[in-house]
Amino acid sequence: MAKLPIVLAPDPVLKMKCEPVVSIDDDVRRLLDDMLETMYDAPGIGLSAPQVAAGQRVIVCDVAREGEAPRPYRMINPEITWRSDENVVAEEGCLSIPDYYAEVSRSREIRVGYFDPDGAAQKLDATGLLSACIQHEIDHLNGVLFIDYLTPLKRNIILRKMKKLKRQQA
Ligand code: NI
């Protein structure tokens, strides 16, 4: 496994729509393993392909708390097939927008279909933090960031500060 550099916003890579994976091979499995290692190292609870400059529809997440056994998910071509009518508001952050947090309203429960690294079709019912995390990561595959749910004013303040941060790091 290898740690990958995380793309910081604003970056056109984070606005692209990712392509479905057509064959689940060693390259895809390695990408998923590398993404998990990158996520744990950050540390974060979720990571999507565009955040490591890859254009495929794959995400990883693990919302286990400190002290709990890890519960990593490697999802290929994840698709939300059902969502609850009820929404819930929770604070979110993103490894591509470090140090910024904001409240986002999302479906309380979802059902997600995906393929695992062995190519088997899986279904998962998610609620709570896992539900929000999966929705956040699937948004990334469609070029959507959590700050896109904020008012343009708030979003622009954050993006301006991110540009400044990136200039300082360059
Ligand atoms: Ni994110």
Side-chain angles (χ1 to χ4, degrees):
M1 296 212 282
K3 214 187 103 188
L4 304 168
I6 295 177
V7 177
L8 295 181
D11 191 303
V13 164
L14 295 173
K15 300 309 289 175
M16 70 182 174
K17 196 167 158 55
C18 295
E19 295 293 327
V21 172
V22 285
S23 90
I24 298 173
D25 55 17
D26 284 345
D27 286 344
V28 174
R29 283 186 279 270
R30 191 174 317 117
L31 173 63
L32 283 160
D33 286 345
D34 289 347
M35 284 169 61
L36 264 183
E37 183 178 342
T38 304
M39 181 194 84
Y40 285 132
D41 180 78
I45 60 169
L47 194 68
S48 63
Q51 293 179 277
V52 292
Q56 293 145 298
R57 299 189 75 81
V58 300
I59 64 170
V60 295
C61 59
D62 186 341
V63 300
R65 289 175 197 284
E66 223 178 312
E68 289 180 348
R71 282 196 303 272
Y73 285 101
R74 296 167 172 84
M75 297 187 176
I76 298 162
N77 298 345
E79 199 98 46
I80 294 170
T81 57
W82 173 85
R83 44 174 90 236
S84 61
D85 293 333
E86 197 188 348
N87 274 36
V88 61
V89 174
E91 192 170 74
E92 291 188 17
C94 180
L95 292 177
S96 293
I97 312 166
D99 300 328
Y100 289 97
Y101 302 90
E103 294 201 317
V104 178
S105 172
R106 297 192 186 270
S107 308
R108 179 181 288 277
E109 288 175 67
I110 56 165
R111 174 166 295 165
V112 57
Y114 64 97
F115 290 89
D116 69 20
D118 297 321
Q122 302 286 348
K123 262 192 207 109
L124 175 73
D125 290 321
T127 185
L129 185 57
L130 182 60
S131 170
C133 182
I134 291 169
Q135 292 175 71
H136 176 121
E137 301 312 332
I138 291 178
D139 269 357
H140 272 296
L141 304 181
N142 297 317
V144 176
L145 304 176
F146 83 94
I147 56 171
D148 292 328
Y149 296 105
L150 308 180
T151 63
L153 181 67
K154 278 189 192 163
R155 180 166 56 247
N156 287 333
I157 290 170
I158 293 172
L159 287 174
R160 254 204 316 275
K161 288 182 177 164
M162 283 298 305
K163 276 183 198 158
K164 199 173 153 199
L165 174 81
K166 287 176 79 173
R167 272 201 306 274
Q168 286 165 349
Q169 286 185 350

